[in-house]
Amino acid sequence: MTDTDEGSGSLFPTLADGVSAAPAPSSSEERLKRLRRQSLWLAAAFIVICAFSVLSWWREAREEIFWVWVVGMTVIFIINISLWRALVREDEKKAKRIRDRDQRYRQTLALLPEGVTILGEGWRIEWVNQRALEHFDIAPEVVGRSFFDAVSDERLRRWLLERNFTKRFQMKTRADRDLDVAVVAPDSRHMMIVTHDVTERRRVDDMRRDFIANVSHELRTPLTVISGFLDLENRPGSLPPDVVARHRELMLEQATRMRSLLDDLLLLSSLENRDDQNDADAEVIAMPKLLEDVVREGRALSLERHHIDLHCEDVSLIGQADEIRSAVMNLVSNAVRYTPDGGRITVTWARRGAGAALSVTDTGIGIEAKHIPRLTERFYRVDKGRSRGTGGTGLGLAIVKHVLRRNDGRLLIESTPGKGSTFMMVFPESRVFIDQL
Ligand code: ADP
């Protein structure tokens, strides 16, 4: 936090006055006014008595008048002195109040998540908060210097000089972050530049756009196939029955693909909706039973093309059973789909440190290291053809990630191209239940 300006005339009091439009006079201000009025009256009385006494004394030269004059003057003088002292004290209090208010504004602005740069006359930087220093990549020493000397961005300079602040300005920082810049200018000499890092928001917007484009694309392909075949069948001249049968088979395949995609999308969306809820529906899951069921389904999917083994310790997991089942099933189904015939798949559930881990290891095609960090993104596939050809929706690992997030778990992936992969779901001690009886 950089703070240099101690004096008045900064943007803070100006802003404060601007914000509280037509402020009601406070009681201390009224007292101050009253004090000032009283002391003026006393000063006037002082002068009148003075003039009157001098005149009388001069005309009558009587000693009593002189003493009346002395006593009167002394009383008025004492009252006036005490009034002036009260006035000075009130002034000091007022100055302190302004200083405190100024300090509070600075503290508040310093804590804002936005960058705040306050400029005074001649584009001089009066004050800047830490976030703005980061946004503009400048050092605290720039305070006191011209903004344009400190920040050398020609587009920003032109925008500021144009003074058309109704539209916002967008720029990239040196660290390649997206900044939204807005200006508040209460008068022609002062301005406050507010910078907002919108990198994350842009990323989410891009993701949403990509997601909609991907879903549309994924749904359009099977729909095109289905409508194409229906169109053929509707044309005059009948097709041979074996061709019709083949078309119907393909249409069914595409309809199934659309259904799995919609099922996965609905599951993903319901997991996201449940993200904010507490885990009141968590239960003690008997993992041996759940894994036996999943492995049985995996074997049915594999049609005996793979050896699928299960090693399971008698440890229970605390979580949402249907979600855990769907996550494990996704890993097993991936292992089956990405392992050539004759390969081996091993499902293991065992203690790991104080927690527990479920791993699915295969001897399949493996994954190059550069793809691993992106595998849990929706619709991210290493090989689109293989994924679609084996009925993949591109959403399986995104579902696994969400399930783990809701169940305090994390996903570890290890893979060697051509040798195989291990996908491991790791759970903390708080999620492990061991029946002591
Ligand atoms: P998909 O439906 O395409 O399988 P997933 O989200 O389940 O979607 O997986 C994303 C991608 O990760 C897959 O397209 C595939 O390229 C890769 N992948 C997942 N599991 C494995 C595995 N066991 N072996 C090799 N590649 C895998």
Side-chain angles (χ1 to χ4, degrees), residues 285-288 312-317 349-351 355-356 432-434:
I285 310 168
M287 288 300 276
C312 188
E313 285 182 17
D314 191 10
V315 176
S316 296
L317 178 70
W349 169 243
R351 296 294 309 262
V432 174
F433 180 83
I434 298 166

Side-chain angles (χ1 to χ4, degrees), residues 15 258 434:
L15 268 183
M258 274 168 59
I434 298 166

Side-chain angles (χ1 to χ4, degrees), residues 385-402:
R386 180 162 190 142
S387 161
R388 291 205 181 105
T390 53
T393 60
L395 296 173
L397 291 180
I399 291 173
V400 172
K401 182 179 83 176
H402 265 89

Side-chain angles (χ1 to χ4, degrees), residues 217-218 221-222 252-262 381 388 391-393:
H217 179 74
E218 293 289 331
T221 312
L252 188 66
E253 209 173 85
Q254 294 303 323
T256 313
R257 188 171 144 194
M258 274 168 59
R259 225 188 57 199
S260 347
L261 179 64
L262 290 173
R381 290 141 155 157
R388 291 205 181 105
T393 60

